[in-house]
Amino acid sequence: MSTPVALHRSSADAELRIRWDDGVEQCIAFARLRGACPCSQCRAARLRGRIDLVKAGVTLREVNLQGYGIQLVFDDGHDRGIYPWSYLRGLD
Ligand SMILES: [Zn+2]
């Protein structure tokens, strides 16, 4: 499994940049991350087809390392998502 060697939260570009140990550089938009939140509440909302989940211009307020991934805190107050490395790597 890949692990990141660098994480950069770019507010200017509204994206999280991850450099992985195999040299791959990944950029994921904050809105994409928010929309892909893996917490049970968001998963359930997506299954119900809720499209109001992600507000326009959502920003990422905090990135907290959790060992096997990161907990992301968004400016809409949502902080329940813990994104494992393998899950992040699979996001485009
Ligand atoms: Zn969530």
Side-chain angles (χ1 to χ4, degrees), residues 62-81:
E62 279 177 48
V63 177
N64 299 313
L65 289 173
Q66 296 289 329
Y68 63 96
I70 44 177
Q71 177 209 10
L72 299 181
V73 181
F74 294 91
D75 72 336
D76 61 0
H78 196 65
D79 63 359
R80 294 182 49 169

Side-chain angles (χ1 to χ4, degrees), residues 20-78:
W20 298 93
D21 57 2
D22 59 2
V24 169
E25 191 115 25
Q26 191 181 12
C27 301
I28 313 172
F30 293 164
R32 172 81 175 112
L33 288 165
R34 179 64 183 86
C37 178
C39 83
S40 56
Q41 188 187 328
C42 291
R43 281 184 192 278
R46 283 197 297 275
L47 283 175
R48 289 197 304 271
R50 290 257 310 270
I51 54 166
D52 56 339
L53 201 60
V54 183
K55 78 176 175 95
V58 69
T59 65
L60 184 57
R61 198 184 277 162
E62 279 177 48
V63 177
N64 299 313
L65 289 173
Q66 296 289 329
Y68 63 96
I70 44 177
Q71 177 209 10
L72 299 181
V73 181
F74 294 91
D75 72 336
D76 61 0
H78 196 65

